[in-house]
Amino acid sequence: MRKESTAAAAIHHLVWPICLIGAKHRGKHNVMTVAWVTQVSVDPLLLVASISPTRYTHDMIVHSGEFMLSILTSEQKDISSFCGFRSGRDIDKIAHLRLKTVPASVIGVPRLADCLANLECKVVDRHLVGDHTLFVGEVVAADIAEQNLQPLLMCQGKTLKLAVN
Ligand SMILES: Cc1cc2nc3c(=O)[nH]c(=O)nc-3n(C[C@H](O)[C@H](O)[C@H](O)COP(=O)(O)O)c2cc1C
């Protein structure tokens, strides 16, 4: 017999990839944690990130027209928590966490040196859907770590480890 679940409880069984979105505007670089991000096209290579207009990062992306998606490793949970609960309005998260950055190859937002991969994105479309903005980004350049790292994943508020077959 199946339990009658609430919509909120059911949707928390989705697996989230935990990433940082970086933006730079008027010389200020900021990062925030995102889970609601996915690929939506192969050619061109497009991804979508769902970001609340209340986030400081939101307007930085609107004004600059670009963002960096940095995929975190399974060892970077503390970074995701800090960047997901503190705002760039109040603190320089990159300096506080001593995140190493390297210049991007196409866009103005730096890459993060120690994450699993960086995807440089130019915004090609955006839509306000419900209480979030969907930013559609075209991936114009990317890098990936040389070591065999695992991504940081979450389900039901807990981090998961990939089972490798
Ligand atoms: C695990 C996790 C996932 C999150 N995913 C999203 C997301 O997909 N979209 C969003 O708008 N906020 C998301 N947040 C909340 C933002 O990261 C948070 O509000 C952050 O402080 C915003 O930073 P900013 O004000 O510097 O932009 C998430 C937070 C956590 C902890």
Side-chain angles (χ1 to χ4, degrees), residues 4-146:
E4 182 73 23
S5 308
T6 65
I11 209 160
H12 271 95
H13 290 264
L14 287 172
V15 178
W16 294 346
I18 306 299
C19 305
L20 295 184
I21 290 254
K24 191 168 178 181
H25 181 56
R26 292 192 173 148
K28 185 161 177 181
H29 181 202
N30 186 48
V31 288
M32 68 169 269
T33 304
V34 286
W36 299 351
V37 61
T38 193
Q39 179 178 352
V40 289
S41 166
V42 176
D43 187 13
L45 185 56
L46 301 175
L47 56 82
V48 69
S50 178
I51 301 182
S52 164
T54 61
R55 315 298 186 218
Y56 182 62
T57 310
H58 182 279
D59 285 4
M60 296 177 79
I61 298 173
V62 168
H63 289 117
S64 66
E66 47 189 40
F67 62 87
M68 183 72 68
L69 182 76
S70 300
I71 302 174
L72 293 175
T73 77
S74 53
E75 307 301 317
Q76 293 177 317
K77 188 181 177 188
D78 290 351
I79 294 176
S80 81
S81 301
F82 191 85
C83 297
F85 290 107
R86 301 294 300 267
S87 177
R89 286 188 190 95
D90 312 316
I91 189 168
D92 181 340
K93 294 184 242 188
I94 294 156
H96 183 89
L97 293 169
R98 297 198 178 97
L99 297 179
K100 275 189 254 155
T101 65
V102 284
S105 70
V106 177
I107 67 172
V109 188
R111 295 177 175 180
L112 299 184
D114 297 320
C115 64
L116 193 158
N118 290 283
L119 296 120
E120 301 183 22
C121 297
K122 284 188 181 282
V123 176
V124 293
D125 212 346
R126 74 170 200 260
H127 303 274
L128 184 64
V129 176
D131 58 7
H132 277 56
T133 301
L134 302 183
F135 288 99
V136 183
E138 178 166 1
V139 181
V140 293
D143 69 14
I144 184 162
E146 281 165 22

